[in-house]
Amino acid sequence: LGFTTVDGVGQEGLESAYNAYLAGEDGRAIVETDRKGNALAYGVEEYIPALDGYDLVLTTDSIVQSFLVSALTEAQQINSAISAQGIVLNAKTGEILAVATAPGYDPNSPSRDDLDLLRSLARNRVATDAYEPGSTFKVLTLASALDSGAINTNFGIHCPGYHMVNGEKIRCWRSGGHGSQNLQQVVNNSCNPAFMQMAINMGVETFYDYLYAFGLGRSTASGLPGESGGILTHEKYVRLNNLARIGFGQSVAVTPLQLAVAVAAVVNGGKLMQPYVIDKVVAAGGEIIEDNEPTVIRQVISEETSAMVRQLLEGAVNEG
């Protein structure tokens, strides 16, 4: 949400980004005066009434938001973390149902004693901060490899605890390795060498086509202020070793929002949805000024691939 100045001018968040919608217009009186500024008894007067600002109706759900805030606060405290952030997204529509960062602050009464601290607390890290996603990124690698035909359901690999790429030993997270595995076991075990091999099978050009199609490397244009585009090294600079690491979520940086939108596309039938937080803009009299609806940006993977990946991911939850 952000916050305003004591005079109601938006300073951060949606309050700032949509200040022109929210602020309205001051009323004013025009009075005919003499040269000393005194109103003329029979002069012309005109009163222009103030105009109320518009209301923003958000896609967020207050109950979902409260659960998310509680979970993040607990996670941050248990792990003694600097911050924790999360997002709840409707995978079918792209509506942002909840978004939060812990520790938080009261937007109605932000502490202005320490401005650096206030800026840090007010920053929506879900949209602004890029990080190496690690194993969560493997969902995108798996979907891309299956959809492109680089692997099929018969894919298998032997993991000795590392994978040799251009003479470099890149290790699995499990030092002893996972041994021989089929595709479901690869997903259950989150085996790094298997996802390296998927990326290598695709090659830079094909894998990057999918990463761009999933929306990586650019802002999602969600309406959340300060959104960054993450970090995706230009493909002409990517070597085989880099490609292998990208396959299991290293050497690439995404925002939590980007990853949520991309994973939603993997499981919702393959459609990349436009994420949005503004449901509608409403005038004081109830007139709808702007009304946002779910928007499909593009079909990234086929519905068949999406169904296959859903089944594999469900297997990982039940068995992995």
Side-chain angles (χ1 to χ4, degrees):
L1 295 179
F3 52 86
T4 69
T5 66
V6 292
D7 296 318
V9 179
Q11 274 190 303
E12 288 286 347
L14 296 175
E15 290 280 11
S16 173
Y18 290 87
N19 187 69
Y21 284 100
L22 296 166
E25 293 183 17
D26 293 336
R28 60 191 187 274
I30 301 174
V31 180
E32 198 171 8
T33 67
D34 61 21
R35 63 184 179 180
K36 292 182 179 180
N38 300 313
L40 298 177
Y42 302 101
V44 176
E45 293 187 14
E46 182 182 2
Y47 174 70
I48 301 173
L51 295 177
D52 289 335
Y54 299 148
D55 287 329
L56 299 184
V57 180
L58 305 184
T59 59
T60 49
D61 182 297
S62 60
I63 297 174
V64 178
Q65 179 78 19
S66 68
F67 277 112
L68 178 60
V69 170
S70 297
L72 291 176
T73 301
E74 181 181 355
Q76 189 228 345
Q77 292 171 351
I78 289 175
N79 295 284
S80 300
I82 294 173
S83 71
Q85 48 271 343
I87 180 170
V88 180
L89 184 82
N90 185 326
K92 293 182 179 180
T93 65
E95 294 168 289
I96 296 172
L97 301 181
V99 57
T101 296
Y105 68 99
D106 182 0
N108 293 310
S109 181
S111 174
R112 301 180 191 273
D113 297 335
D114 186 336
L115 292 181
D116 288 336
L117 175 61
L118 181 57
R119 286 193 200 96
S120 175
L121 293 175
R123 191 166 83 242
N124 189 349
R125 297 173 186 270
V126 171
T128 63
D129 289 14
Y131 71 109
E132 274 194 340
S135 290
T136 51
F137 195 83
K138 293 171 181 173
V139 176
L140 306 186
T141 306
L142 174 66
S144 303
L146 284 168
D147 196 69
S148 65
I151 66 166
N152 57 36
T153 52
N154 296 320
F155 176 81
I157 194 170
H158 179 79
C159 169
Y162 61 87
H163 199 50
M164 296 300 297
V165 182
N166 269 354
E168 179 186 1
K169 182 185 285 187
I170 304 178
R171 299 188 180 279
C172 186
W173 66 266
R174 185 174 183 179
S175 57
H178 293 103
S180 295
Q181 311 158 92
N182 61 29
L183 181 58
Q184 183 66 71
Q185 291 167 328
V186 160
V187 178
N188 292 358
N189 295 329
S190 187
C191 177
N192 288 0
F195 288 92
M196 293 185 224
Q197 191 59 55
M198 291 181 200
I200 291 168
N201 284 5
M202 282 186 280
V204 175
E205 185 175 349
T206 297
F207 195 14
Y208 260 66
D209 282 346
Y210 279 95
L211 296 184
Y212 288 138
F214 277 122
L216 303 190
R218 63 177 70 89
S219 165
T220 70
S222 65
L224 293 174
E227 186 182 342
S228 73
I231 304 170
L232 188 61
T233 304
H234 194 286
E235 55 189 297
K236 70 181 179 182
Y237 300 115
V238 175
R239 301 294 176 260
L240 202 61
N241 307 58
N242 309 122
L243 183 66
R245 287 188 168 86
I246 292 172
F248 63 93
Q250 294 183 4
S251 297
V252 61
V254 298
T255 65
L257 174 59
Q258 280 181 317
L259 187 61
V261 172
V263 171
V266 170
V267 299
N268 70 6
K271 299 178 177 66
L272 187 74
M273 302 301 298
Q274 172 65 57
Y276 63 104
V277 72
I278 305 297
D279 182 30
K280 54 177 68 78
V281 180
V282 183
E287 178 190 359
I288 295 177
I289 306 302
E290 182 180 310
D291 192 7
N292 289 323
E293 298 287 343
T295 303
V296 178
I297 298 174
R298 68 182 69 90
Q299 186 81 29
V300 183
I301 60 174
S302 69
E303 291 188 13
E304 292 76 17
T305 301
S306 179
M308 195 184 309
V309 176
R310 282 200 305 271
Q311 184 175 358
L312 289 166
L313 294 178
E314 185 178 358
V317 172
N318 292 332
E319 305 163 17

